[in-house]
Amino acid sequence: MCLTYSPKYDDLTAEEEQLLNEDVELIEKAVSVSHKLNEKRISTRNAHAKSFGFARGDFIPVVNEVADFTEFLKGHNLGVIIRYSHPNAFVSEGSGEYPLYGCAVKIYNKNIPVSAKFPLVNLPVFVTNSVSKFLKLHLKANRFIISRGTPFSLSFLKIPGLIRAGLSLFFDKEILPILNNVMKVLDIEKQWISSYDFHSVGCFRLGERMVKIRLKPSQNKKVQKGEDIDQAKTLRKYFLNSELLLDFQVQLAVDEKRTPVNNLLKDWKEKHSEFITVGKIRLPKQNISDYETISYENLSFNPFENPEELQPLGRMQKIRQKIYNQSVATRQFLNQQK
């Protein structure tokens, strides 16, 4: 028994739609100044701007009653591209970043132009279920970024409003789960980026079913830990000498009480819905330095380009759709001019 998809899970209010449209108008400006802020030749993403590296490999579907990716992606000859990143909008140098990381996965048919993208993170917690509060914070953040990229900037004047919008997330009837998720963020330990489990923030369709996604290392190797880890250098060194095996897993929504689709403050417990492996990823030995190019950095990992049966879903995911689309379109257009 499991929940099935309905468009009702994506519904936004009129106020939320208005805030979203305001935010989308700022995305183009924020991406346009990103190369100045990050001192790069190209425009960068407005989130996960810092890339640690790309890796390529194969996706081997595990066909079962839950999913058949050979059907979703129209064939058996499937490849994968993975981008490891940091979620910050600004590109910092060195190894001193806080250990919140991203792993964007693109699974594609090698014979025809069909693919599915899944942006994943190593700590799938959110600090609000309020779409309007999140959008107001995102609006403030974009205005701050734009002001920093403007000559004779007075960006410091934007900071109080940004702080107020951030603090508003905590004035909520669900303050206890919010604080619990904040503690998870504060408690995370830095380790080699590919040794984390990576999760979707929110749900995806899997045909008519609804799922959360996990990417889990399938090898039991000693995990490298330490604040001094340079993720980019460690990735390059690892893939020159070793392959990496990963399990691509899904967790089914079974009912609204135990697996709520639009409550991003709550984890789905495995005793209520276990993770099921629907694919194996093999990343062979390779020189990932070959992928340190504009063409790779310009790749899209936009999940809203997925086939309909593999689209993101939920209210918080719905607002990301217009943001993703505008960000990707602006970044790729600007970078094609360089």
Side-chain angles (χ1 to χ4, degrees), residues 86 97-101 122-123 188-191 196 227:
H86 192 272
E97 73 281 335
Y98 197 77
L100 296 175
Y101 297 116
N122 67 324
L123 193 63
I188 191 168
E189 187 175 16
K190 188 170 183 180
Q191 61 192 54
Y196 289 103
E227 291 301 318

Side-chain angles (χ1 to χ4, degrees), residues 189-200:
E189 187 175 16
K190 188 170 183 180
Q191 61 192 54
W192 181 50
I193 194 168
S194 288
S195 60
Y196 289 103
D197 292 351
F198 283 91
H199 304 254
S200 61

Side-chain angles (χ1 to χ4, degrees), residues 287-307:
N287 184 359
I288 67 171
S289 298
D290 292 342
Y291 313 139
E292 294 172 3
T293 64
I294 291 178
S295 60
Y296 271 88
E297 195 52 54
N298 213 32
L299 287 174
S300 167
F301 289 88
N302 182 356
F304 299 97
E305 297 170 350
N306 291 0

Side-chain angles (χ1 to χ4, degrees), residues 77-202:
N77 190 16
L78 303 180
V80 66
I81 301 174
I82 285 181
R83 178 183 187 262
Y84 293 103
S85 63
H86 192 272
N88 205 323
F90 304 109
V91 179
S92 60
E93 299 297 331
S95 58
E97 73 281 335
Y98 197 77
L100 296 175
Y101 297 116
C103 176
V105 180
K106 177 180 179 178
I107 306 167
Y108 64 96
N109 189 317
K110 296 179 181 180
N111 301 322
I112 57 175
V114 179
S115 66
K117 297 102 167 178
F118 302 96
L120 311 175
V121 294
N122 67 324
L123 193 63
V125 298
F126 223 62
V127 291
T128 185
N129 281 324
S130 171
V131 170
S132 61
K133 286 182 180 180
F134 175 79
L135 282 170
K136 288 173 183 176
L137 176 60
H138 208 252
L139 280 162
K140 297 289 187 183
N142 276 324
R143 290 185 180 121
F144 174 70
I145 289 170
I146 293 166
S147 67
R148 281 198 59 183
T150 304
F152 310 109
S153 169
L154 297 176
S155 59
F156 67 92
L157 296 176
K158 305 289 185 182
I159 294 175
L162 183 58
I163 293 173
R164 285 195 298 271
L167 290 176
S168 72
L169 302 179
F170 296 91
F171 292 91
D172 196 289
K173 64 182 179 179
E174 297 181 287
I175 185 61
L176 290 180
I178 289 172
L179 291 176
N180 181 56
N181 285 349
V182 170
M183 293 305 298
K184 290 179 182 178
V185 173
L186 296 176
D187 193 46
I188 191 168
E189 187 175 16
K190 188 170 183 180
Q191 61 192 54
W192 181 50
I193 194 168
S194 288
S195 60
Y196 289 103
D197 292 351
F198 283 91
H199 304 254
S200 61
V201 178

Side-chain angles (χ1 to χ4, degrees), residues 248-260:
F248 189 85
Q249 303 176 320
V250 300
Q251 188 180 25
L252 292 168
V254 293
D255 60 54
E256 274 296 346
K257 182 179 180 180
R258 294 177 296 175
T259 55

